[in-house]
Amino acid sequence: MAMLSILRSLVQEVNSARDLQEALDIIVSRVQKAMGTEVCSVYLLDPGSNRYLLMATEGLYRKAVGQVSLGYSEGLVGLVGSREEPLNLEDAPSHPRYRYFPETGEERFRSFLGVPIIHHRRVLGVLVVQQRESSRCFDEGEEAFLVTVSAQLAGVIAHSEATGAISGMSLTGEEAHDVSFNGVPGAPGVAIGNSVVVYPAADLDVVPEKPADDIDRELELFRGAVKAVREDIERVAKRLASQLRPEEQALFDVYLRMLGDEALPGEVANRIREGIWAPGALKQVVQQYVRHFEMMDDHYLQERAVDVRDLGRRLLSHLQEGEQRHLEYPEHTVLVSEELTPAMLGEVPKGRLVGLVSVKGSSNSHVAILARAMGVPTVMGLVDIPVNQLDGKELIVDGFEGQIFASPSEDLRAFYQAICDEEDELVRGLEALRDKPSETTDGHRLSLLVNTGLMTDVVRSLSHGAEGIGLYRTEVPFMIKDRFPSEQEQREYYREQLEAFAPNPVTMRSLDVGGDKSLTYFPIHEENPFLGWRGIRVTLDHPEIFLVQVRAMLKASEGLNNLQIMLPMISNVSEVEESLHLIYRVYHEVREEGYDIHMPKVGVMVEIPAAVYQIRELADRVDFLSVGSNDLTQYLLAVDRNNPRVAQLYHSYHPAVLQALVRIAQDAHAVGKPVGICGELAGDPGGALLLMAMGYDSLSMNAASLPKVKSVIRSVSREWAIQLLEDVLLLDSPHVIKSCVDLALRNAGFGRYLRPGKSTTAALAEQAVS
């Protein structure tokens, strides 16, 4: 137990250290005391020279710090690092790998225990303890203690390496460039700009508790703050009005509703009346709300804690008469924050926001949804990044790969600038294809459709020449309200989409919540949401929601008759039969009400592996099939694509995924039913060619991908694509398959359409630095 409490206080002390050197000094002195040993030292591996440097010691001669360095596999320290496991010796000097440094005075010490410091598979250094008597062998408990300390230390070192690197310095004090951090892609595109770190002006956590001297005065101050914040939010909402659709602006209504008298302000006023001063009362209420939200398992609701905290800070800063910090927003602003909130986006003057970076959040946060609608490249979920160091730095945001680069070198900047220019030029050049058919050189037609959720998408889709909507995500209107939208409200959303594309088909997916998509007012708390209550499972358990939705869809389609309905997350034939029963019921009711409508085509989404083996049975019951390749890939490979730790294992070109896709297309066509696909793979030029070769009848993608895919399809023969598919189906590694497809595209003259992958960028960064 003593060891545990030592660890706990050690971690606290290290985390509050001002810089890396102080943190290392604390560790060596505390560990030396805790273990009752004579020496404790830390050696760090300098990425520049690939040598171990003695960075801190308690027990060896101090003058050796910063002077002693060992080659990558030199000495016992190098052995621990290269073997990546602890080394425990009773008589170190007799070991063949022992290397003696007179400047340390370590010849006096015989026992040696060294433990590697590893962070995300990368060896950062070695932690060593030494002792005089050879009879003293470090026991298993001590070894375990040291391993635990080194695991704690790894995070601290990685964080401070990042801090140093951002400020342009490596461990050895040399200049560093092109420091990259990996997160999750939030919205596609590349941005180059100067970062503005937004952080709350007022810090609720540090508000002291004290009694109110004059309760009426405190109440008056608080009401003034509420009024001022309401006006701020209304002003921002008004300013963004031209850029956002009503359903996106509803995010601001959520804030205003929280500021209603019945909500947060009412509770704060009650506490003030109990005799607490206004800032203290505000702090108590906000923390209670935040705790309440954060304890929920639901990602969407956890996100709401951010909004409450943001409101609390705004109110506090008005209470403190804190002048709102007047931030300077440069011409090309990259907004960076621990937690971005929709309100922060609205503070940036129009036309200046080029990119977004948020430490917390996933690709499904409100902010990511807004960023995609506004077309701003975004990276979320950057775990090891010291935000406070980034202000005013030049940043490159790669929203395709989910990466950011700080202090970019000339070469890297030029590389990304070229990508930006190419993207702009491509879009302009490809606009000429807008009204041309998507047909191969040997006459094979393939429908190219778009995935939409917001009206902003539709505008972009039409300008890129889409032939219809392959996936309209109906949950978006649900996500930006704080109650279920009424039948009339839904009908208006749906009519807008159906009219924009008539007479072309619009495929509406029925409400798909659960997994990583949730609604504040319909919480789903689960250990494992991806394998839980989501998609059709929720729908069939709550037919009342489904019936209202289908009724709104059918009424919206009157006179257009271009509606198709798609059922998500089907794993059983019985789910299809139950859903069809409900759809027919609504169809007859709506016709009886006098609406002149046609029965829409109904299809099934194939995204659960079980459905892959029931294609014929499912196809017998519906009009079409559509593969959701993102979820299918995720379930086949058992990889949560929002988890940065395993995101590199999520690969659409995995042989198992391709085999499944081939099988689905063959089985659907065997019973004469059309099959489409919507997912990232369809919008990837190489993926699109493989899918065309497999026989998919339509591909649905983001509007931005459509022109490139169309251009590639119009330039090759289907024969050529079939040959490519046959070649890659013989390969067994996703990375080799990807390289093979990329090579084929390059040889066919499409090198400019290929996204530079992480490896390419990393290689380029290496070249640029060296």
Side-chain angles (χ1 to χ4, degrees), residues 116-171:
I117 303 168
I118 296 178
H119 186 255
H120 288 329
R121 296 191 183 186
R122 191 161 70 89
V123 176
L124 301 179
V126 176
L127 181 59
V128 173
V129 288
Q130 289 166 287
Q131 185 72 20
R132 229 170 262 219
E133 332 76 78
S134 61
S135 57
R136 155 91 199 254
C137 188
F138 295 105
D139 64 26
E140 283 180 5
E142 290 172 307
E143 192 173 310
F145 173 72
L146 209 58
V147 167
T148 315
V149 172
S150 97
Q152 292 295 335
L153 186 54
V156 176
I157 295 171
H159 196 76
S160 100
E161 241 188 13
T163 308
I166 286 173
S167 58
M169 285 300 174
S170 73
L171 282 174

Side-chain angles (χ1 to χ4, degrees), residues 183-239:
V184 182
V190 167
I192 302 175
N194 291 86
S195 61
V196 174
V197 174
V198 259
Y199 51 88
D203 186 355
L204 275 172
D205 300 333
V206 297
V207 171
E209 301 286 342
K210 49 182 216 192
D213 301 330
D214 174 351
I215 288 181
D216 291 336
R217 165 108 185 91
E218 293 293 321
L219 279 169
E220 187 188 343
L221 273 173
F222 179 64
R223 288 194 189 108
V226 171
K227 182 169 180 289
V229 172
R230 278 195 77 100
E231 285 165 3
D232 279 354
I233 289 171
E234 282 163 353
R235 197 181 63 249
V236 168
K238 197 180 258 133
R239 205 169 73 232

Side-chain angles (χ1 to χ4, degrees), residues 631-645:
D631 266 326
L632 183 61
T633 304
Q634 159 165 288
Y635 287 124
L636 276 170
L637 304 180
V639 170
D640 171 5
R641 62 178 188 272
N642 290 321
N643 178 345
R645 289 216 169 89

